[in-house]
Amino acid sequence: MSMAPAVILVRPQLGVNIGAVARAMMNFGLTDLRLVRPRDGWPNVDAGPAASGADAVLDGARLFDSIAEACADLHLVFATAMLMRPITRRVVTPERAVSELKALGLADSLPGGLLFGPERTGLETADLAIAHAVCTIPTNPDFGSLNLAQAVVVFAYEWMRQQQTMPPEELMHYPGPAPMQELENLFVAIDEKLTENRYYSPAPGRPEAARLTLRNLLTRPQFTEGEVRTLRGVVRMLAAPRVTSAPTGGKR
Amino acid sequence: MSMAPAVILVRPQLGVNIGAVARAMMNFGLTDLRLVRPRDGWPNVDAGPAASGADAVLDGARLFDSIAEACADLHLVFATAMLMRPITRRVVTPERAVSELKALGLADSLPGGLLFGPERTGLETADLAIAHAVCTIPTNPDFGSLNLAQAVVVFAYEWMRQQQTMPPEELMHYPGPAPMQELENLFVAIDEKLTENRYYSPAPGRPEAARLTLRNLLTRPQFTEGEVRTLRGVVRMLAAPRVTSAPTGGKR
């Protein structure tokens, strides 16, 4: 994993949000939390419970007097903002920001960071000027104001997504498809019962088409050997002669 | 935009989380919220304030007695889970789940959905069996338990990310680079002052190398006409003869 970016909260207002940010960071493998003049000082009693166990991140949080000091050792910094105000600045998506931070870490182990503004107002224009570029989360234009921790989740998730080696799709605890012969036996068993029960229309070509449909339907799911056995049992029981319920006066 | 997936909260415990889910959904353009047996009934007084204005989503939330009923009209359903338990099931990333939901909506306007389990325990094995596939958010293996609303944020953000037409990078309010002549004039002005002040080493080849460095440095940022003008002013003032502060007894 390349060097994870620092999360810098600028003048955060609520301790619960700082705690929720710590939790989200730790969920996705980020650890470097920096606080610039939190409104209610630091430490904040509300942060711990909201962190739900992400104490390592909270305990390691560092306090700074200015954005410049908080970013002093960082080589690439993105400011997150909704951009209501015009600004002459490079604006990127979270995907792009994270990939640039990742490339930097991979290439030279240079740390980078992400700036997040106060809950109510976001970063000010003067704050944005400190960052190399602005990053905007794509949101609903009519309801774009994200909770602070949820904005952090987007970046932290992007970080994890771009690191991950997990394939987009995998089968868990799947022993693989049954041998073809087992599937064939299942098909034959079903086919025999269906023929016996006059399932197939006698019209020319119809039985063949129906069998093809059935074969496709049974083959596509790649049933395991165990599943094919289960299906054999189900077919056998479905086709068994009806047991009349509570046969009164029957033998025994 | 294609048909947005429903968010189905299964036995959610806290009203604040339901509210935070509604906010996250609305932030990213999702609107269809469904609740299966919320622990504290419905409506829940804690949900409104946590929704921070996403009342349209909360007011439209529908209540169901079972997952099966909540999913009755949906064509493709993913269950979100951490998968501590072994299960024979297709497991996909959020990216993959959303792209499958999107493809479905684009192709046939068939609605799909995402199941989220209760805060403390997540979905049970029996709940997972109802869904077509399981979706796991990639997280820190040692600290993987996400807040409910933050798990929803990941999918809602993925949905928006995969819909978005915003380019990964764009320059805002950028009138384009200055005419080359302006940049050349700036370079010449700097060069003249530097020569005057003996900035360049007299060693063979050194002035040329230094000029090349300077030219690269001034060209790469693609300064606008206004920025070049600002730099001309800065250079002029830097190179101006020092004004002795508060000249006492000087002429006028």
Side-chain angles (χ1 to χ4, degrees):
Chain A
M1 191 173 280
S2 59
M3 202 152 203
V7 169
I8 304 137
L9 304 184
V10 179
R11 303 183 297 278
Q13 302 175 285
L14 298 173
V16 291
N17 284 337
I18 301 173
V21 164
R23 176 177 181 181
M25 288 175 63
M26 196 153 160
N27 280 148
F28 294 104
L30 304 186
T31 52
D32 187 350
L33 176 59
R34 306 178 182 199
L35 307 173
V36 177
R37 291 196 279 116
R39 186 189 67 184
D40 301 334
W42 190 255
N44 182 317
V45 292
D46 296 334
S52 295
D55 300 320
V57 173
L58 275 191
D59 294 346
R62 280 175 291 166
L63 198 61
F64 295 90
D65 268 338
S66 68
I67 298 179
E69 288 167 271
C71 296
D73 62 318
L74 304 177
H75 293 251
L76 180 61
V77 174
F78 291 93
T80 62
M82 282 182 64
L83 282 193
M84 315 297 276
R85 304 158 288 235
I87 179 172
T88 303
R89 197 37 86 85
R90 197 164 67 98
V91 177
V92 301
T93 60
E95 203 172 341
R96 175 66 174 246
V98 166
S99 79
E100 290 187 18
L101 288 166
K102 189 186 162 203
L104 198 70
L106 284 174
D108 305 296
S109 296
L110 302 178
L114 295 157
L115 291 176
F116 296 86
E119 287 89 331
R120 198 136 56 97
T121 55
L123 291 169
E124 288 168 19
T125 308
D127 303 328
L128 300 184
I130 296 176
H132 291 94
V134 172
C135 185
T136 295
I137 298 174
T139 51
N140 177 350
D142 299 324
F143 193 75
S145 176
L146 288 167
N147 166 274
L148 177 56
Q150 302 197 341
V152 172
V153 165
V154 166
F155 288 91
Y157 161 70
E158 267 291 348
W159 177 258
M160 184 61 100
R161 186 174 76 82
Q162 294 190 29
Q163 305 290 332
Q164 78 190 7
T165 48
M166 179 181 163
E169 174 172 15
E170 64 179 340
L171 288 165
M172 297 288 285
H173 304 277
Y174 176 66
M180 299 299 282
Q181 183 61 55
E182 306 275 326
L183 197 66
E184 187 60 27
N185 293 347
L186 171 65
F187 178 72
V188 168
I190 294 175
D191 186 55
E192 274 174 4
K193 286 294 171 194
L194 291 180
T195 306
E196 209 176 298
N197 293 350
R198 303 185 192 183
Y199 168 79
Y200 298 114
S201 154
R206 295 289 289 282
E208 291 69 24
R211 281 194 181 92
L212 194 61
T213 299
L214 205 60
R215 192 178 282 281
N216 274 329
L217 176 161
L218 289 169
T219 309
R220 207 190 51 208
Q222 305 188 7
F223 291 125
T224 65
E225 203 161 348
E227 287 169 339
V228 170
R229 254 198 314 275
T230 301
L231 286 169
R232 287 290 300 268
V234 167
V235 168
R236 193 165 50 243
M237 292 311 292
L238 284 176
R242 286 281 160 81
V243 177
T244 31
S245 56
T248 343
K251 286 189 202 157
R252 295 253 176 112
Chain B
M1 190 173 284
S2 59
M3 203 152 202
V7 169
I8 304 136
L9 304 184
V10 179
R11 304 182 298 277
Q13 301 176 285
L14 298 172
V16 291
N17 284 337
I18 301 173
V21 164
R23 177 178 180 180
M25 288 175 62
M26 196 152 160
N27 280 149
F28 294 104
L30 305 186
T31 52
D32 187 349
L33 176 60
R34 307 178 182 199
L35 307 172
V36 177
R37 290 196 280 117
R39 186 190 67 184
D40 301 333
W42 191 253
N44 181 315
V45 290
D46 296 334
S52 295
D55 301 320
V57 173
L58 276 191
D59 294 345
R62 279 175 290 165
L63 198 61
F64 295 91
D65 268 339
S66 67
I67 297 179
E69 287 167 273
C71 296
D73 61 319
L74 303 177
H75 293 251
L76 180 61
V77 174
F78 291 93
T80 62
M82 283 182 63
L83 283 192
M84 315 297 276
R85 303 160 286 236
I87 179 172
T88 302
R89 196 38 88 86
R90 196 165 69 99
V91 177
V92 300
T93 60
E95 204 172 340
R96 176 65 173 245
V98 166
S99 79
E100 290 187 17
L101 288 166
K102 189 186 162 201
L104 198 71
L106 284 175
D108 305 296
S109 295
L110 302 179
L114 295 156
L115 291 175
F116 296 86
E119 287 89 332
R120 200 135 57 97
T121 55
L123 291 169
E124 288 167 20
T125 307
D127 302 328
L128 300 184
I130 296 176
H132 292 94
V134 172
C135 184
T136 295
I137 298 174
T139 50
N140 177 350
D142 300 323
F143 192 76
S145 176
L146 287 167
N147 165 274
L148 176 57
Q150 302 197 340
V152 172
V153 165
V154 166
F155 288 92
Y157 162 71
E158 268 292 348
W159 177 258
M160 183 61 98
R161 186 175 76 82
Q162 294 190 30
Q163 304 290 333
Q164 80 190 4
T165 48
M166 179 181 163
E169 175 172 15
E170 64 178 341
L171 289 165
M172 297 286 284
H173 304 280
Y174 177 65
M180 298 298 281
Q181 183 62 54
E182 306 274 327
L183 197 66
E184 186 61 27
N185 294 346
L186 172 64
F187 179 73
V188 167
I190 293 175
D191 186 56
E192 275 175 4
K193 285 295 173 192
L194 291 179
T195 306
E196 210 175 296
N197 294 348
R198 302 185 194 182
Y199 168 79
Y200 299 114
S201 155
R206 295 288 289 283
E208 292 68 25
R211 281 194 181 92
L212 194 61
T213 300
L214 205 60
R215 193 180 282 280
N216 274 330
L217 175 160
L218 289 169
T219 310
R220 206 189 52 207
Q222 305 188 5
F223 291 125
T224 65
E225 202 161 348
E227 286 169 338
V228 170
R229 253 198 315 274
T230 301
L231 286 170
R232 287 290 299 268
V234 167
V235 168
R236 195 164 49 241
M237 292 310 293
L238 284 176
R242 286 281 161 80
V243 178
T244 31
S245 57
T248 344
K251 284 187 205 158
R252 290 269 168 95

